[in-house]
Amino acid sequence: MTVRVVVVGAGLGGLRVAEQLRAAKFEGEILVIGDEAHLPYSRPPLSKEALAGELSHQTVVFRRKASVDDVTWRLGESVSSVDMTARTITLSDGAQVSYDGVVGATGVSARRLPLDAPADWRHVIRTLDDASRLQAELAQGRSVVVIGAGFIGCEVAATARLKGCSVHVVDPMPVPLIRPLGVELGRELQRRHEEQGVRFHLGRTIAVFEGDADGPTRVTLDDGNEIAVDVVVEAVGSAPNVAWLDGNGLDLSDGVRCDSGLRMMGADGPIATAVAVGDIARFPNVLFDDVPRRVEHWNIPTETGKRAARVLVQGLSGGADAGAELAPFTPMPAFWSDQYELRLQSFGLPGLGGDDIRPLEGELSDEVVMGYHRDGVLVGVVMLGLSRRYSHYRDLIIAASPFTADAASAAP
Amino acid sequence: MKVVVDLAVCQDHAQCCLAAPEVFEQDASGKLVVLVDHPAEGLRDKVEEAADVCPLQAITVQD
């Protein structure tokens, strides 16, 4: 019987873990099941350049390594449950697939607000199909209301503005991007958006939606302000897709809880034959501490794909105590956001250092590096421009880590 | 091993420079410079990682 690994989820994480299984010398069968009808593609362009211009699967599809030519892709099929004792997966049409190893790579879905308005009056931006629907609506002179001043909301606002739409952004927080960036940098981003003509309604929510058969026509804010609207975009965060993992004694309170080998944690400890990658994996990163966290950054599916593949191959070979031999897993989270001419780049976990934010270099109104500290230790940076300094600040975070100090003092 | 970069697609994310500093570097204006277009075999892992982490898939590794 050929050994079979089933990868649930056909996004970047699913692709990378399949490639890394082959790189780790796994020669068995790999089956990747994805609920979208598309082979793995890149999502960041969907709120940026792809939304503005050329948008097709062709422009965003990932190149697949030759090593995964023999992978079976089952697209447009969704997994409704998994039984980790029987090692079977059940699809939504009732079909069952047995496995020796399983990878959870199902990513996140756009969160929806409990608004008093039909869901199809509001656009979300997660999939290629979402972006195609939204792109069709963005045209010169149309009025766009974006709910949510986070990264997706701000990127869509920038793109819509560049297409000549009038843009209003509504958010209950007092400053855009306040949670990831802090007040100072958030205000600076707001200033740059306002310079481009975007209008913000902060500390506000939408009280009333009005519309007709064609869609929304007007929103009224909780301060009474009315905005005539053609297009509403809902960009209020994400929800991990883990319902299919229910019933296996896993911690699904925030993604799926994993150990540092990305093995899902069951009632009796890590499950050697079940790993998770990408947005759903809640794992400890000892570069920062031992608290398991989900990290929704673009480089994490690639980093976790490599780690999880190696651990899974060990688990499949029956090495029950393989966990004890794992090298430390210390990926450096990194993400970027492009808004107008601005390139924002982040390293580390700035969110852990929101109480102690210091400018490290540059000028807020031009190019700048903001450092985020926890207990006096640099845990993250957010940079506007200054790309030649990426390596310097990334290294600074590594050097500041207690893990690095421990490793150095332990070395002979 | 040959490293090929599509500079028309490159948008100066510089993630390749972080993954494989022996092969990729930024010049003073932040633009990509390929230091070695036939890197030694020992750099294969780093070069493949550089290709993987490029958000625009601008790097191809050819054998």
Side-chain angles (χ1 to χ4, degrees), chain A residues 16 19-20 42 49 60-65 298-299 302-303 306 334 336 338 343 345 347 387-391 394, chain B residues 11-15 17-19 26-31 45 48-49 51-61:
Chain A
R16 290 285 185 249
E19 291 173 336
Q20 292 297 328
S42 187
E49 68 270 22
V60 292
V61 67
F62 285 118
R63 201 168 49 216
R64 297 174 297 283
K65 293 183 172 45
W298 195 82
N299 74 325
T302 294
E303 296 276 352
K306 195 178 242 180
W336 81 96
D338 289 336
R343 157 79 44 78
Q345 175 76 41
F347 295 104
S387 64
R388 289 158 300 114
R389 303 287 279 157
Y390 285 173
S391 163
R394 190 175 178 273
Chain B
Q11 282 179 27
D12 310 329
H13 284 267
Q15 301 302 304
C17 304
L18 299 173
Q26 286 172 286
D27 68 17
S29 58
K31 292 283 163 208
D45 278 357
E48 291 201 350
E49 187 180 322
D52 279 352
V53 299
C54 173
L56 297 151
Q57 304 188 96
I59 301 170
T60 322
V61 183

Side-chain angles (χ1 to χ4, degrees), chain A residues 20-354:
Chain A
Q20 292 297 328
L21 282 165
R22 289 286 181 244
K25 308 278 184 270
F26 175 70
E27 291 175 3
E29 184 192 336
I30 301 175
L31 169 62
V32 182
I33 305 175
D35 64 357
E36 288 185 69
H38 310 288
L39 283 165
Y41 64 87
S42 187
R43 297 190 199 280
L46 300 181
S47 54
K48 310 179 199 58
E49 68 270 22
L51 186 61
E54 166 93 46
L55 180 64
S56 66
H57 187 242
Q58 188 103 339
T59 54
V60 292
V61 67
F62 285 118
R63 201 168 49 216
R64 297 174 297 283
K65 293 183 172 45
S67 62
V68 295
D69 280 349
D70 63 353
V71 162
T72 304
W73 300 90
R74 286 176 69 161
L75 303 175
E77 299 194 37
S78 92
V79 168
S80 55
S81 66
V82 57
D83 178 337
M84 292 196 176
T85 314
R87 298 209 213 161
T88 54
I89 279 159
T90 304
L91 302 177
S92 53
D93 64 1
Q96 296 208 318
V97 180
S98 64
Y99 68 83
D100 298 287
V102 65
V103 182
T106 41
V108 299
S109 294
R111 247 187 85 222
R112 307 298 310 234
L113 291 170
L115 297 170
D116 189 15
D120 62 9
W121 280 5
R122 300 121 62 185
H123 292 263
V124 292
I125 288 273
R126 177 67 190 173
T127 67
L128 182 61
D129 296 351
D130 292 336
S132 298
R133 275 190 291 269
L134 177 59
Q135 188 186 52
E137 302 281 323
L138 295 181
Q140 180 79 31
R142 301 205 92 205
S143 170
V144 177
V145 168
V146 178
I147 308 174
F151 280 107
I152 300 296
C154 286
E155 286 173 3
V156 170
T159 304
R161 194 71 201 103
L162 291 173
K163 298 204 81 169
C165 301
S166 97
V167 181
H168 294 258
V169 180
V170 181
D171 196 295
M173 297 297 271
V175 176
L177 294 156
I178 193 176
R179 257 190 288 254
L181 302 185
V183 171
E184 250 194 297
L185 198 48
R187 283 221 174 99
E188 173 56 21
L189 285 233
Q190 177 181 345
R191 187 190 69 75
R192 296 190 193 204
H193 275 273
E194 286 171 339
E195 226 170 27
Q196 296 291 332
V198 172
R199 278 155 294 181
F200 285 87
H201 304 269
L202 298 163
R204 301 265 75 93
T205 55
I206 295 181
V208 181
F209 263 95
E210 292 165 78
D212 57 28
D214 296 327
T217 52
R218 184 164 66 186
V219 299
T220 307
L221 304 184
D222 59 336
D223 62 359
N225 260 317
E226 295 175 356
I227 309 170
V229 66
D230 299 303
V231 184
V232 175
V233 180
E234 198 173 338
V236 298
S238 51
N241 297 320
V242 291
W244 63 282
L245 288 164
D246 213 5
N248 293 286
L250 303 171
D251 175 353
L252 302 178
S253 58
D254 178 15
V256 55
R257 166 95 204 272
C258 299
D259 69 359
S260 70
L262 297 165
R263 293 175 299 191
M264 298 188 197
M265 296 295 282
D268 301 323
I271 303 172
T273 53
V275 292
V277 299
D279 289 350
I280 64 165
R282 190 168 131 239
F283 67 93
N285 184 337
V286 75
L287 193 62
F288 300 99
D289 53 35
D290 58 8
V291 175
R293 293 187 184 87
R294 291 193 310 107
V295 181
E296 290 181 27
H297 295 349
W298 195 82
N299 74 325
I300 294 296
T302 294
E303 296 276 352
T304 54
K306 195 178 242 180
R307 173 73 160 186
R310 275 152 182 63
V311 171
L312 183 59
V313 167
Q314 260 185 295
L316 289 171
S317 68
D321 58 356
E325 300 151 25
L326 291 177
F329 183 46
T330 54
M332 174 62 73
F335 79 85
W336 81 96
S337 178
D338 289 336
Q339 299 170 34
Y340 311 107
E341 296 303 309
L342 172 161
R343 157 79 44 78
L344 180 153
Q345 175 76 41
S346 158
F347 295 104
L349 294 175
L352 294 185

